[in-house]
Amino acid sequence: MAAKSHKFVQQFNLRICSSSHVNNNNNNNNNLTIEIQRTWNVKTKVIPVIIGATGTVSKSFTKYVSNIPGKHEVKELQKTALLGTAHILRKLLM
């Protein structure tokens, strides 16, 4: 997801990880960031928003979420990830 405004793009990296070890590794975004910069001729900033399937978050999660426009509660995001995981497990096991 990206928000473009006058020569600047904020690229949101939204992921839900299956492991309990959550880190903000930006290596996966380098190719996409370079492609966006070359194609649109804009500056790009990647904002990683990564949450574990069981609701675990990194230490810097709150800092990154605060960069996204609008109001976002960490507890609500954790709840959404947990409910999504429960839904997948329910479908798989039944």
Side-chain angles (χ1 to χ4, degrees), residues 1-93:
M1 180 184 343
K4 181 183 175 187
S5 67
H6 305 294
K7 301 289 181 179
F8 184 74
V9 173
Q10 287 184 326
Q11 178 184 345
F12 305 116
N13 179 9
L14 306 171
R15 290 188 282 169
I16 296 180
C17 303
S18 60
S19 70
S20 61
H21 181 69
V22 178
N23 62 8
N24 294 327
N25 188 353
N26 291 335
N27 292 338
N28 300 337
N29 298 318
N30 286 341
N31 292 337
L32 181 59
T33 301
I34 291 169
E35 185 177 341
I36 289 171
Q37 288 174 346
R38 288 180 182 167
T39 304
W40 292 349
N41 195 25
V42 294
K43 297 276 186 190
T44 304
K45 178 181 179 184
V46 177
I47 301 173
V49 180
I50 305 163
I51 188 166
T54 58
T56 55
V57 294
S58 65
K59 293 177 183 176
S60 56
F61 183 79
T62 315
K63 177 181 80 170
Y64 290 126
V65 170
S66 67
N67 290 329
I68 299 174
K71 185 177 180 183
H72 307 283
E73 302 243 355
V74 175
K75 287 184 180 182
E76 288 297 318
L77 295 171
Q78 289 175 313
K79 179 180 174 182
T80 302
L82 190 57
L83 289 174
T85 302
H87 177 75
I88 292 169
L89 287 173
R90 215 177 301 112
K91 287 265 189 185
L92 181 70
L93 297 175

